[in-house]
Amino acid sequence: MEKEEHLICLGIESTADNLGVGIVSSDGRILANEVEVHVPKTGGIHPREAAQHHSAEFGRVLEKALKAAKIRSKDIDLISFSQGPGLGPCLRTGATAARALAVYLNIPLVGVNHCIAHVEIGRLMSSAKDPLTLYVSGGNTLITAYESGRYRIFGETLDIAVGNCLDTFAREAGLPYPGGPAVETIAAKGNQLLPLPYIVKGMDLSFSGLLTAAILKLNEGQCRLEDLCFSLQEVAFAMLGEVTERALAHTKKHELLLTGGVAANKRLRSVIQLIAEEHGAASKFVPQKFATDNGAMIAWTGILAYVSGLRTDVETSYIDSHWRMDEVEVPWRSSN
Ligand code: ATP
Ligand code: FE2
């Protein structure tokens, strides 16, 4: 019984190029959050190479996390892992490690939806209670809020994620990886808004046409890179702002949370802040350290799920690389 009151969860994150091991206690303290990033030699992420990186590094990252948390493996009460969505080979590597640990330590296993984990770490770190959330990363772009037992999706990208759009453009422009921060730095020196396609379809977004047009302009070489980065950001963030604002007006939530890797962007933060202010909502931001993929968010969501009675059998703990967040029951939210 005493164990139920104070739990320690070890969470494994391995959806894409980050391998994360986080250790979190049930009172919301982050005891460890070790992240190891796989940087591809050329081009974008190669799923199998990233997975090989994760399996080669797992032992070392696990050891670092236990050391940072100043605990031994026997102090862990449960294991959670990113069960999806994400890249199959990467997810499988994390899931295999999680199953092995749970069986070896004879403790429960909880599979966690990666998108929900981004929202939950944002809520924990920003003290948001019931926000509308804009979750923007390299693989996901969606607007979500809790409603009747689930995180509902109010709008999402129909093709590539906004982070992927920035990363691919940056790669074409010869900027360092990851592209988002590099584009942000250069955009700060731009001031001329170039015409680029602005694509919002109802509550959904599309970034592939914007990316193609930006690369075309880049290759034409008729404009300054500073102005092109500036314009790419302005158009992409205005699109995000439009859908977010409409969802905020519709849901009437009192908090607006920005989470995911692209939440690090200062320009996007200012757009979100402005929208929140105009609607009398509080703007909430996930701290940089917890914005990009990390194990702590998986560990924390594992605790929330476990405490509300959810378990994942090792035998049926398959990964689901297309697992949508609105398919998941979130019983821990039903009381607030
Ligand atoms: P997911 O699996 O959730 O889609 P991911 O693998 O893309 O996640 P994250 O760590 O959540 O990983 O996000 C990484 C993305 O965030 C990259 O596209 C990166 O360029 C972007 N990013 C990071 N910092 C900035 C920034 N300052 N401005 C814009 N984008 C940024
Ligand atoms: Fe992520």
Side-chain angles (χ1 to χ4, degrees), residues 15-18 114 118 135 137-140 163-164 166-167 178-181 184 260-262 264-265 291-293:
T15 48
D17 47 357
N18 284 14
H114 177 88
H118 271 291
Y135 159 38
S137 65
N140 291 281
N164 187 210
L166 298 173
D167 289 344
E184 178 173 24
V262 187
N265 190 288
T292 49
D293 290 349

Side-chain angles (χ1 to χ4, degrees), residues 21-283:
V21 175
I23 301 175
V24 175
S25 63
S26 49
D27 55 4
R29 276 184 307 127
I30 311 296
L31 307 178
N33 193 25
E34 297 297 326
V35 181
E36 201 64 53
V37 188
H38 170 67
V39 179
K41 284 190 189 77
T42 54
I45 306 173
H46 188 291
R48 228 158 286 131
E49 279 173 19
Q52 272 162 13
H53 162 268
H54 299 344
S55 62
E57 291 294 321
F58 183 75
R60 216 171 53 77
V61 179
L62 173 66
E63 221 166 275
K64 269 172 84 177
L66 289 171
K67 212 168 167 190
K70 298 190 181 74
I71 62 164
R72 289 159 185 265
S73 54
K74 67 171 174 45
D75 300 322
I76 303 167
D77 299 296
L78 74 139
I79 303 288
S80 63
F81 69 104
S82 251
Q83 204 169 2
L87 305 172
C90 301
L91 284 169
R92 258 174 236 118
T93 303
T96 304
R99 287 178 202 124
L101 277 177
V103 170
Y104 175 67
L105 297 170
N106 195 23
I107 54 176
L109 181 70
V110 179
V112 163
N113 180 286
H114 177 88
C115 304
I116 290 182
H118 271 291
V119 174
E120 292 303 351
I121 197 73
R123 282 207 311 132
L124 175 69
M125 291 296 160
S126 70
S127 311
K129 288 191 176 60
D130 181 29
L132 176 81
T133 303
L134 173 61
Y135 159 38
V136 274
S137 65
N140 291 281
T141 301
L142 52 86
I143 295 100
T144 181
Y146 176 78
E147 185 64 61
S148 311
R150 291 181 189 210
Y151 280 111
R152 310 286 166 176
I153 297 173
F154 289 90
E156 62 190 315
T157 181
L158 297 170
D159 41 57
I160 59 170
V162 63
N164 187 210
C165 174
L166 298 173
D167 289 344
T168 310
F169 174 80
R171 200 163 71 227
E172 292 289 323
L175 301 174
Y177 179 90
V183 169
E184 178 173 24
T185 306
I186 297 174
K189 295 179 206 124
N191 51 26
Q192 206 192 329
L193 189 62
L194 308 164
L196 287 171
Y198 177 105
I199 309 163
V200 173
K201 300 180 181 184
M203 290 296 282
D204 292 327
L205 305 138
S206 159
F207 292 99
S208 67
L210 173 61
L211 172 63
T212 307
I215 292 173
L216 265 175
K217 275 210 163 32
L218 176 76
N219 293 338
E220 281 166 10
Q222 302 289 317
C223 55
R224 292 166 65 224
L225 182 60
E226 289 84 347
D227 291 333
L228 194 47
C229 288
F230 169 77
S231 307
L232 179 61
Q233 279 200 170
E234 287 308 300
V235 173
F237 298 166
M239 286 162 53
L240 292 170
E242 179 187 332
V243 177
T244 303
E245 182 166 20
R246 223 179 299 139
L248 191 62
H250 173 76
T251 57
K252 299 187 174 61
K253 297 282 183 188
H254 301 297
E255 297 162 321
L256 179 54
L257 170 67
L258 180 62
T259 192
V262 187
N265 190 288
K266 292 195 188 67
R267 177 63 184 138
L268 183 57
R269 282 172 178 244
S270 74
V271 169
I272 290 304
Q273 192 162 357
L274 209 74
I275 292 170
E277 273 168 17
E278 283 200 4
H279 290 263
S283 48

